[in-house]
């Protein structure tokens, strides 16, 4: 840990010609980035943007994530993306300090281990329902399957047994809303936002779609309140919230937060499922190990190796290749003065690809995580600190259960070769060819 104080002006500054190279830190192969010449910390201050410190000094990163009170993630999202319009500024990720701590404690229980066990049957059912529709013996896009699985699981777990009058309306409203988020019009709004000081242009079609979702959710909240779960343990997320301290917010706020959970969980999970399929299809040895476990009906071995595959895929293809925090006041991390308003960026993918943290970092080797949890300081797919992904345990369990169920019924056809290149999805990485794989009967 450094004891000498430095200010941002004393650190290497990128010149305009280097700015185009920033993209290289967001794609696999970060070790080829010429920016590495600048060392572990460098500063970017393009005109019209806040000053940004990019750091992969692990002491900086540790101190940044440990500091809950002086930094905000919501302010980074508002400055560079249209997340505030998508999520709503009152949702968890936009809150800071004590308010965030209080709300997070209320939202967390349905995503902790005890609750997670109760979701497993539904996850298995969703795969069994979808599986007969997938082609056998010919290539198809697993990313699309990932989206279907993610939405099936989410609607079932977040909303549970929605009254039949609302079930289909809710699903259709959610699908239309997600469709609007992916529309060209809204993508254009997202791209313009950082260039106009973080102001997100009004986009009425998205508002309309959000209101449709909220209207059904509010009806459902009212119905659940009128008929509580008669002493049974509620299984779904919404029922776990109704009647708690969270429910003292107005209904619109609870509905908005439910929407925030759906949004945070949907794309990230679908894309990760796509990457796992793409990685497996390109790595015969990993699939041979999974097949051996599935053929022997050895579920413990299958689960252990799948956990390792999921962790290794998320190391090499984190949906978000970086995260960041904006200083709410003048502060210091690991001896570096961070002025109020400056942004600290943590290049997650660069850290994941560093030989200092992983041997042969560019090699897909699930064994490195076999029987060992990823190290929370150098494996940052879900971020870290007080804003670490609320659904991390949920997402890991979901990936394991969904793939276990697939592999108990199907084999993945493999061929060694390069893994699909990534395509930029909003700020994230998604498989460019939609994760084309071939499944065979087991
Ligand atoms: C593979 C799937 C997922 C990935 C890669 C992912 C990634 C992330 C990342 C990078 C963050 C920001 C963390 C930081 O910068 O420290 C985050 C926050 C968050 N995620 Fe996820 N996420 C995933 C799934 C989910 C799921 C399934 C849920 C809900 C069920 C969820 C809900 C949230 C929430 C509520 C936050 C904000 C937490 C806070 O501000 O306290 N995510 N996620």
């Amino acid at each position: 840990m450094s004891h000498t104080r430095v200010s941002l002006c004393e650190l290497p500054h990128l010149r305009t010609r280097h700015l185009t190279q920033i993209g290289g830190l967001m794609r696999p192969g970060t070790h080829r980035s010429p920016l590495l010449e600048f060392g572990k910390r460098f500063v970017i201050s393009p005109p019209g943007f806040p000053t940004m410190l990019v750091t992969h000094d692990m002491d900086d990163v540790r101190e940044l994530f440990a500091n809950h009170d002086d930094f905000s993630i919501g302010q980074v999202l508002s400055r560079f993306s249209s997340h505030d319009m998508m999520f709503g500024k009152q949702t968890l990720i936009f809150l800071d300090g004590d308010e965030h701590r209080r709300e997070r404690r209320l939202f967390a229980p349905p995503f902790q281990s005890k609750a997670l066990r109760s979701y497993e049957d539904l996850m298995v059912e969703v795969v069994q329902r979808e599986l007969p529709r997938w082609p056998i013996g010919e290539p198809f896009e697993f990313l699309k399957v990932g989206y279907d699985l993610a939405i099936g699981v989410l609607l079932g777990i977040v909303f549970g047994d929605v009254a039949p009058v609302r079930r289909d309306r809710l699903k259709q409203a959610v699908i239309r809303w997600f469709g609007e988020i992916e529309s060209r019009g809204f993508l254009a709004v997202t791209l313009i936002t950082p260039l106009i000081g973080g102001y997100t242009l009004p986009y009425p079609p998205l508002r309309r779609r959000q209101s449709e979702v909220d209207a059904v959710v509010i009806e459902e909240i009212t119905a659940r309140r009128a008929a509580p779960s008669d002493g049974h343990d509620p299984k779904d997320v919404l029922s776990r919230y109704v009647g708690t301290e969270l429910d003292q917010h107005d209904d619109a706020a609870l509905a908005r937060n439910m929407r925030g959970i759906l949004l945070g969980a949907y794309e990230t999970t679908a894309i990760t499922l796509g990457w796992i399929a793409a990685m497996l299809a390109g790595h015969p040895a990993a699939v041979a190990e999974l097949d051996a476990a599935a053929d022997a009906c050895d579920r413990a071995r299958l689960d252990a190796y799948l956990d390792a595959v999921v962790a290794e895929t998320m190391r090499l293809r984190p949906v978000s290749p970086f995260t960041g925090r904006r200083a709410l006041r003048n502060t210091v991390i690991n001896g570096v003065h961070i002025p109020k308003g400056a942004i600290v960026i943590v290049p997650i993918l660069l850290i994941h690809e560093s030989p200092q943290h992983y041997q042969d970092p560019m090699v897909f080797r699930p064994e490195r995580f076999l029987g060992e949890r990823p190290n929370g300081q150098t494996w940052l797919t879900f971020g870290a600190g007080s804003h670490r992904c609320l659904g991390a345990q949920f997402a890991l369990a979901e990936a394991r259960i969904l793939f276990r169920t697939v592999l108990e019924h199907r084999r993945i056809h493999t061929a060694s070769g390069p893994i699909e290149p990534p395509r930029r999805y909003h700020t994230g990485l998604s498989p460019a060819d939609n994760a084309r794989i071939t499944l065979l009967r087991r």
Side-chain angles (χ1 to χ4, degrees), residues 78 173 251 294 296 300 302 304 318 332 356 393 401 409 412 417 419 425 434:
S78 308
D251 291 358
L302 184 57
V332 176
Q356 285 184 352
Q393 265 184 288
I401 294 163
H409 296 85
I412 297 179
I419 303 305
Y425 170 78
N434 294 336

Side-chain angles (χ1 to χ4, degrees), residues 17 26 32 53 58 172 184 251 273 342 370 377 429:
R17 67 190 152 89
M26 299 180 197
R32 289 191 293 266
L53 166 69
M58 295 316 287
Q172 295 312 322
R184 280 167 188 266
D251 291 358
L273 296 174
L370 204 52
Q377 304 197 342
L429 296 176

Side-chain angles (χ1 to χ4, degrees), residues 207-225:
R207 288 238 182 276
R208 274 199 295 277
R209 298 303 183 207
Q210 289 171 335
S211 307
E212 284 168 19
V213 177
D214 291 356
V216 194
V217 175
I218 289 172
E219 276 177 39
E220 188 63 24
I221 294 173
T222 314
R224 299 237 178 141
R225 224 181 263 136

Side-chain angles (χ1 to χ4, degrees), residues 73 93 100 104 111 265 268 272 314 323 325 382-384 387 389:
I73 178 171
I93 203 158
H100 172 259
R104 178 144 173 143
F111 301 105
T268 48
T272 300
M314 288 180 155
T323 186
R325 302 289 189 266
F382 293 111
H387 282 279
C389 176

Side-chain angles (χ1 to χ4, degrees), residues 17 30 68 107 175 208 273 304 346 353 370 433 437:
R17 67 190 152 89
T30 53
H68 186 197
F107 278 107
I175 290 172
R208 274 199 295 277
L273 296 174
V346 178
E353 291 187 347
L370 204 52
D433 300 326
I437 64 162

